[in-house]
Amino acid sequence: LRMWFVSYGIGRPSEAWMWRQMIGIKRLEPRIVTWELGTQSEQEEKELSEKAVHVLPFEQTPSDGNRRWVYRFRCLPERNYYASVGAERRALTDLMQETKPDVVLCQYGYAGLRMLPVVKAFRVPLVVHFHGLDVSSGLRNRWYRWSLLRALPLFSAIIVVGEHQQRWMRDQGVPEEKLHLIPCGVPVREFDASQGVMAQPCRFLSVGRFVTKKSPLDTIRAFARCARENREIAMVMIGDGPLRKEAENLSNTLGVRAQITFLGVQPNARVKEEMQQAGVFVQHSVTADDGDMEGWPVGIAEAMASALPVVATRHGGILQQIEHGTNGFLVDEHDWKSMGQA
């Protein structure tokens, strides 16, 4: 069988799960179709060289920006305001005619809507894999919500990563035979148990983008509360984003800047190394003001594969990952005092 593996972007540091899925599909012959392509290591370059790849020379998100109204007008006949149009649709049609895929797998609802008109024309099954913002904050965009609700019956199969997403799909009338709950797992054999779990002073680790949903400021507040009782502890924070500068300033204000190492974005190999040295993994996920939520945080799964206890929040798919008091501790969103105590 021949498959198209479609995503707006391939190789982003925050989407290691997507790379594993793409490379791990062995029984199909996947062709990568994307608008943006990158690699984080020589190993990824080697793995990618063994795949058929097609990078589309078109705007990645025409639904955003100043020209979005022109784009929406062109999409009006189908009432799908994220559909491929014009030269892009013709290029996708030609590529589909040439490669004749048996199935198309799209990462995120946005890509599923983009591919829908082309797939319909060829009557190829379309499978859409939803992850987080595409079934949370994205739904506050009426253009996306209208498009998605009309399209759900047209998708051949729908994959979600968390039970809260599964419930939403059921509420929209998606039949059980079409709906599949498949969390993004990790290749456990690639992770060794951390050697730092019992080490003192404790070394905490946080991995994630510096965005509202990850609430790095609450993580730092919790760490500072803990540090008042033990000035020897340390924390490593991996990631970058709009809240990075504010996070560094807060660590200065709270007097813990010397105990926190901000590493920025790191390749997956470095993340694994840090997990081998850490004692506890921390993640203070919250529902952002725009409604953005976690699906099923892969960073937590990787930490668990490294035998790390986890301190996190009662949020999204984390409730299916952490059993309070067994493999970690859970606190309420924004309750950084309880997180510090944990």
Side-chain angles (χ1 to χ4, degrees):
L1 292 175
R2 296 177 298 275
M3 182 187 75
W4 275 19
F5 188 101
V6 182
S7 176
Y8 274 18
I10 295 289
R12 295 167 178 165
S14 61
E15 296 177 332
W17 51 265
M18 188 187 298
W19 189 276
R20 292 181 186 128
Q21 188 180 125
M22 179 182 76
I23 298 302
I25 294 174
K26 304 295 186 184
R27 290 186 296 168
L28 300 175
E29 185 184 317
R31 172 179 291 270
I32 315 305
V33 179
T34 185
W35 286 258
E36 175 192 325
L37 183 66
T39 55
Q40 303 300 315
S41 65
E42 291 183 4
Q43 175 63 24
E44 288 188 355
E45 290 180 12
K46 179 179 182 300
E47 291 171 338
L48 196 63
S49 68
E50 299 169 356
K51 301 288 184 183
V53 180
H54 191 89
V55 181
L56 298 168
F58 301 101
E59 189 177 353
Q60 191 180 77
T61 54
S63 52
D64 299 333
N66 295 330
R67 297 187 68 253
R68 65 186 182 279
W69 292 107
V70 174
Y71 175 70
R72 287 169 183 168
F73 181 77
R74 298 179 72 186
C75 293
L76 185 61
E78 297 181 60
R79 303 294 194 274
N80 175 359
Y81 300 101
Y82 287 76
S84 61
V85 295
E88 179 183 274
R89 185 183 295 192
R90 290 192 293 273
L92 286 167
T93 298
D94 291 345
L95 185 62
M96 187 160 283
Q97 209 155 21
E98 175 190 340
T99 60
K100 295 181 173 55
D102 298 294
V103 63
V104 173
L105 171 63
C106 289
Q107 301 293 341
Y108 295 101
Y110 304 99
L113 293 173
R114 193 83 165 259
M115 292 300 306
L116 184 58
V118 179
V119 170
K120 278 173 57 180
F122 285 85
R123 298 185 178 180
V124 175
L126 175 61
V127 181
V128 183
H129 200 320
F130 291 84
H131 294 275
L133 59 87
D134 51 351
V135 276
S136 59
S137 60
L139 297 171
R140 296 193 178 187
N141 181 325
R142 62 183 182 273
W143 301 95
Y144 173 68
R145 186 175 65 253
W146 292 338
S147 303
L148 181 62
L149 293 177
R150 287 177 57 87
L152 286 176
L154 304 176
F155 297 155
S156 301
I158 292 170
I159 302 170
V160 293
V161 297
E163 291 179 1
H164 57 298
Q165 299 169 342
Q166 186 182 44
R167 288 192 294 271
W168 186 86
M169 289 291 179
R170 285 171 175 159
D171 290 344
Q172 311 317 308
V174 175
E176 290 297 323
E177 63 271 16
K178 184 186 286 190
L179 183 58
H180 306 270
L181 173 61
I182 309 175
C184 290
V186 297
V188 179
R189 291 183 182 86
E190 294 181 11
F191 291 80
D192 297 322
S194 171
Q195 301 302 305
V197 172
M198 300 301 293
Q200 292 295 331
C202 187
R203 181 185 176 96
F204 296 92
L205 175 65
S206 170
V207 180
R209 290 171 295 141
F210 281 67
V211 295
T212 303
K213 178 172 67 174
K214 303 288 187 181
S215 197
L217 304 185
D218 280 326
T219 300
I220 291 172
R221 293 185 184 103
F223 176 80
R225 184 189 189 283
C226 185
R228 286 204 300 267
E229 299 180 20
N230 186 346
R231 300 300 299 181
E232 302 302 315
I233 64 172
M235 180 165 68
V236 173
M237 301 190 77
I238 296 177
D240 209 341
L243 294 178
R244 166 80 179 269
K245 187 64 177 177
E246 189 175 350
E248 293 183 3
N249 291 340
L250 179 63
S251 68
N252 272 319
T253 301
L254 297 177
V256 291
R257 182 64 183 86
Q259 293 163 265
I260 301 178
T261 303
F262 295 90
L263 289 181
V265 176
Q266 296 294 328
N268 296 330
R270 178 63 186 276
V271 174
K272 287 182 186 178
E273 289 176 9
E274 291 297 330
M275 287 187 175
Q276 301 315 305
Q277 302 173 45
V280 177
F281 188 85
V282 293
Q283 182 161 323
H284 199 109
S285 295
V286 301
T287 302
D289 292 338
D290 64 359
D292 192 10
M293 291 179 63
E294 299 277 14
W296 200 84
V298 177
I300 289 179
E302 292 181 347
M304 294 166 68
S306 303
L308 287 173
V310 176
V311 179
T313 46
R314 296 182 179 93
H315 170 90
I318 297 175
L319 292 167
Q320 282 89 62
Q321 295 176 302
I322 303 300
E323 182 180 348
H324 182 71
T326 299
N327 56 355
F329 293 99
L330 295 176
V331 302
D332 291 337
E333 294 184 18
H334 298 297
D335 187 357
W336 56 265
K337 293 181 180 179
S338 293
M339 188 178 199
Q341 181 62 39

